[in-house]
Structure formats: structure tokens, C-alpha cells
Amino acid sequence: GQFLAFIDSYSRLHEQSPAELDMQRYFCISSSAIHQMVVKLESLNLIERTSGKARSIRLLVNRDELPELD
């Protein structure tokens, strides 16, 4: 839930979705772990991305369903 909450908060604050590097810096975990999480969230239909386009993550979850960002 924290990844989804981060994507939501970052997107509202910066008016664009985060890059994987932004998530890596926030969560202090490896780039491969971030990428695996993004792929997993996409496979669970919680987010959507446009192939070949940077910063294209879009939440498919209602904001009311997201936890508070720690």
C-alpha cells in the first residue's frame, strides 16, 4: 500500500507521476526491487503504465482505498 500511496502523493504534489528513481530514493531500496514492485502492481491491475513513456504510471485504485503515506 505504501508504494501506491507514494505514487498518489507524488503525482498530486508534482503534477506528474514518479519515476522509478524517485521511488528508489524515497524507499531507500534497490532499483531492481522498485522495478519488480512496479511490474507486480501492474500485473495486479493496481497501476497502469504506457510502454516506452517515462513517468506514465497511473493509479487504477480509488484514493479513498489508499493508506496514509508513512
Side-chain angles (χ1 to χ4, degrees), residues 1 3 9-10 15 19 27 30 37 43-44 49 52 64 66:
F3 280 93
S9 295
Y10 187 98
E15 298 183 357
F27 290 105
S30 71
M37 180 56 74
S43 73
L44 294 171
R49 298 183 298 159
D64 297 338
L66 299 176

Side-chain angles (χ1 to χ4, degrees), residues 12-37:
R12 286 187 287 125
L13 182 64
H14 298 282
E15 298 183 357
Q16 64 180 353
S17 60
E20 289 187 12
L21 182 58
D22 298 316
M23 290 184 268
Q24 181 184 354
R25 288 178 179 154
Y26 183 82
F27 290 105
C28 299
I29 58 177
S30 71
S31 60
S32 62
I34 292 292
H35 183 71
Q36 288 174 357
M37 180 56 74

Side-chain angles (χ1 to χ4, degrees), residues 33-52:
I34 292 292
H35 183 71
Q36 288 174 357
M37 180 56 74
V38 168
V39 169
K40 181 68 173 178
L41 293 173
E42 188 173 30
S43 73
L44 294 171
N45 293 317
L46 298 173
I47 63 170
E48 179 178 79
R49 298 183 298 159
T50 302
S51 181

Side-chain angles (χ1 to χ4, degrees), residues 48-62:
E48 179 178 79
R49 298 183 298 159
T50 302
S51 181
K53 183 178 178 190
R55 298 183 181 270
S56 65
I57 296 173
R58 188 173 70 86
L59 285 177
L60 300 177
V61 178
N62 189 332

